[in-house]
Amino acid sequence: MLSGGAVRGAAQVGMLRAALEEGIFPDQIVGVSAGALNGLSLASNPTLDQIAVLEKVWQKTAEKSPIRGSLVRNLAAIIRGKPSFDNGERLRELISENIPVEDISHTKIPFHLATTAASSGRQVWWREGPAVDLLCASAAMPGALPAIELSDGDYHLDGGVVSNIPLRYACSLRPACLVVFDVAAGFLPPEKQTALSIMMTGFRAATAEVTRQEWRDIPQDVEVIHFRLPLDNHGIDDDFREAPQLMNLGYMTAFETLNSLKRKSKKW
């Protein structure tokens, strides 16, 4: 289960490397937003070689951000009434150039991707369909990137809007072990709040409450490995220049988590 997290999605690549090096390989992958981009790549080839490919992709985002413009210009675009402050062309180009399969059903292991339907606010799950369109839709942060019209005739946006860590759906697949790559952002302390972070609090607060409920609903017989990025690391998640450092941080975080599990259990 790969959560959303914008640029923090880079940290998942480091976490995935640590997990695969330890022999933890997926049977199925569930992803939303940035986690969907990482998840489809891994589902197409669940090996360390594919992790190396993902590392190069995220390095590209550090060199050329997939979202255009400065924060001030982007906010001005919203004020002027545009549906999003970025037209999504850079993100679509990045995905198109690095997509491993044309249809998400063509992966080596089952892959599940979520989007949010604009007309109903429902989280919609996909097992097949055009990879570029579905990934662009699942990563379409409200206001930042345009919603994408999909095969059902509806417009779809970020799959993490309803549930950024959709544990309930992952559990519906009846896993024996659920491995969660959690790079969701936390809330900033009062002294670090900005006008933009306060605007985003409403969006994140509802999602965070859903996540708390879903953690409580995990069946007791399901083993859970939770890789979690430190919550004090980021606020707005908009600086892709930090991708290399985040990959390193994700690796070290997962490495420490695995060492802790080894100390607690003979299984590890």
Side-chain angles (χ1 to χ4, degrees), residues 10 44 47 57 65 87 89 93 106 109 119 124 135 180 258:
S44 71
T47 66
V57 173
S65 173
N87 59 18
E89 290 180 359
E93 179 183 356
H106 297 164
I109 61 174
S119 67
V124 181
L135 289 178
V180 182
L258 289 166

Side-chain angles (χ1 to χ4, degrees), residues 173-206:
L173 303 176
R174 304 179 66 83
C177 179
L178 179 62
V179 186
V180 182
F181 297 86
D182 177 0
V183 294
F187 295 93
L188 291 172
E191 67 274 11
K192 293 186 178 181
Q193 289 284 1
T194 65
L196 182 59
S197 69
I198 291 173
M199 286 172 59
M200 296 178 70
T201 294
F203 165 68
R204 285 180 170 167

Side-chain angles (χ1 to χ4, degrees), residues 118 213 268:
Q213 295 287 342
W268 294 90

Side-chain angles (χ1 to χ4, degrees), residues 14 54 56 67 76 80 83 87 160 162 166 213 226:
L54 270 174
K56 292 178 181 178
I67 299 178
R80 290 197 300 270
N87 59 18
V162 176
Q213 295 287 342
H226 186 192

Side-chain angles (χ1 to χ4, degrees), residues 97-220:
E97 290 177 350
N98 297 281
I99 201 72
V101 292
E102 293 185 0
D103 192 289
I104 67 169
S105 65
H106 297 164
T107 52
K108 289 186 178 179
I109 61 174
F111 173 68
H112 310 253
L113 173 151
T115 62
T116 301
S119 67
S120 65
R122 293 187 303 107
Q123 192 171 56
V124 181
W125 287 95
W126 304 82
R127 285 286 311 279
E128 61 182 9
V132 174
D133 284 347
L134 287 168
L135 289 178
C136 285
S138 190
M141 294 180 289
L145 291 161
I148 305 295
E149 186 175 8
L150 295 178
S151 59
D152 61 356
D154 205 345
Y155 282 85
H156 291 255
L157 58 150
D158 196 324
V161 168
V162 176
S163 176
N164 197 39
I165 311 177
L167 301 164
R168 193 170 294 138
Y169 179 84
C171 287
S172 74
L173 303 176
R174 304 179 66 83
C177 179
L178 179 62
V179 186
V180 182
F181 297 86
D182 177 0
V183 294
F187 295 93
L188 291 172
E191 67 274 11
K192 293 186 178 181
Q193 289 284 1
T194 65
L196 182 59
S197 69
I198 291 173
M199 286 172 59
M200 296 178 70
T201 294
F203 165 68
R204 285 180 170 167
T207 303
E209 178 57 31
V210 170
T211 297
R212 285 190 285 270
Q213 295 287 342
E214 294 200 34
W215 274 113
R216 289 194 285 266
D217 291 343
I218 295 177
Q220 292 185 356

